[in-house]
Amino acid sequence: MKRFALLTTILTVVLTLLLPFVGGGGPSLTGSVSSASAAGSTAPVYASSAVAPVTSVAVPATIVNEVLLAKAAGATASATAAATAAYLASDTEHLGQKPVPIPVVVAPPAAPTVAGSGRTSRGGGSSAGASTADRRAAAAAAGSSCPGDGGGGGSAPGGSESGIGGTTSGDIQSFSATLNAIRAANCLQPIDSGNFRYDSCMEQRLYWMAEDPSTNPGNTWGHSGVRSLAPDDNGAYYSDSVPARGCDGNLAGGSGNSGATVAQKWWDSLPHRASLYRPSVGSTAGVCIYFAMTHGGVPDENPGFTRAAARWGGC
């Protein structure tokens, strides 16, 4: 009987320790996972047309950020789900990049009440959850119209490094004109055309990515702390042997991209929109947008493959 009782006790302990790891409901034996993969979701990491998709990988954490941003903006559960579904179906700019940090959305000042209407006037600004229709309605209620298109501007040296083309004036002017056109179409205050600035520090980060000798253009792509996807023939990772340089920013890349297409990509991606366009900010006085773009890469990468970075900041 004592032996039976001892065996029973041992079996109970073993089952108690091991059962949580059986199936998908318990903690991982190999460490923590992201909240997206913990939910059991998987999806391909999409690449540009120049890079083959990588399958059987966990959903990028940027998708989790989409949900958090939608919730922070006061979206309903169905709207949040729809935004996430649209993101999964359409976002093709991320080439193995790390998650986009959730940006701090600055709320505009409280708006005055329109006399006799019981409604508030927000002019060109908006609340975090306001849509383009809301902004247009608010402007109409205040007896005004949406802001006009601020046009494009900016200049860049058009240099090069390691045979890789750098940011040109055409790049930044195409980007700034499209960004302001998108802002105008969505009833947002424009950025002053003189406040678009070339950023050599972000360009250095793009050069570092492009100088990875891997034939996969997306091998070293992403935000601060990124690690190359695959080692070279000697087993060394480029990101380990060549320290990252330059500055981080919102990223976009792929074949056939221009300043105009990356401006549109950043609007279409909710985390990038909140970071770079900031529709919740009413006044853009003193705001500068910093931009950089590179063309091609090592070894013999097509110059039509571009990498771009941009950030919102003060002038």
Side-chain angles (χ1 to χ4, degrees):
M1 288 299 289
K2 289 183 179 179
R3 175 179 291 182
F4 177 77
L6 179 60
L7 290 174
T8 301
T9 301
I10 293 172
L11 179 62
T12 301
V13 170
V14 170
L15 290 176
T16 301
L17 292 173
L18 292 183
L19 276 178
F21 298 101
V22 178
S28 168
L29 285 168
T30 57
S32 61
V33 293
S34 71
S35 55
S37 58
S41 301
T42 57
V45 172
Y46 290 97
S48 74
S49 57
V51 184
V54 181
T55 55
S56 302
V57 221
V59 174
T62 44
I63 296 170
V64 180
N65 289 351
E66 295 282 356
V67 178
L68 293 176
L69 282 165
K71 288 181 178 178
T76 63
S78 59
T80 300
T84 304
Y87 177 81
L88 282 167
S90 66
D91 186 16
T92 59
E93 76 187 72
H94 299 102
L95 309 179
Q97 73 180 54
K98 291 177 73 69
V100 179
I102 299 175
V104 176
V105 181
V106 182
T113 300
V114 179
S117 70
R119 293 173 292 186
T120 58
S121 168
R122 288 174 291 190
S126 68
S127 67
S131 65
T132 299
D134 292 333
R135 289 187 287 273
R136 287 175 178 158
S144 61
S145 59
C146 288
D149 189 336
S155 62
S160 64
E161 182 175 305
S162 304
I164 301 162
T167 316
T168 68
S169 292
D171 292 332
I172 194 169
Q173 289 168 11
S174 170
F175 162 73
S176 56
T178 302
L179 182 143
N180 263 340
I182 291 170
R183 293 188 68 86
N186 288 278
C187 203
L188 296 170
Q189 291 284 348
I191 305 297
D192 187 281
S193 61
N195 288 357
F196 289 92
R197 309 286 173 85
Y198 157 72
D199 190 283
S200 61
C201 191
M202 288 192 300
E203 187 179 67
Q204 283 298 308
R205 176 63 59 85
L206 299 176
Y207 278 138
W208 174 76
M209 296 178 196
E211 288 169 2
D212 179 349
S214 170
T215 55
N216 176 1
N219 193 55
T220 301
W221 173 275
H223 296 284
S224 296
V226 68
R227 192 186 194 202
S228 302
L229 298 177
D232 60 22
D233 293 340
N234 297 317
Y237 287 83
Y238 170 78
S239 57
D240 294 343
S241 56
V242 182
R245 63 181 190 271
C247 302
D248 209 346
N250 294 280
L251 298 175
S255 289
N257 275 303
S258 64
T261 63
V262 296
Q264 185 65 55
K265 279 186 172 185
W266 284 322
W267 173 264
D268 291 340
S269 173
L270 291 180
H272 294 94
R273 182 189 303 180
S275 176
L276 186 60
Y277 284 86
R278 306 204 182 189
S280 65
V281 175
S283 172
T284 57
V287 170
C288 273
I289 302 293
Y290 298 86
F291 177 79
M293 175 175 270
T294 58
H295 304 260
V298 175
D300 302 322
E301 197 172 279
N302 190 317
F305 190 97
T306 63
R307 295 166 174 85
R311 63 181 177 85
W312 168 296
C315 294

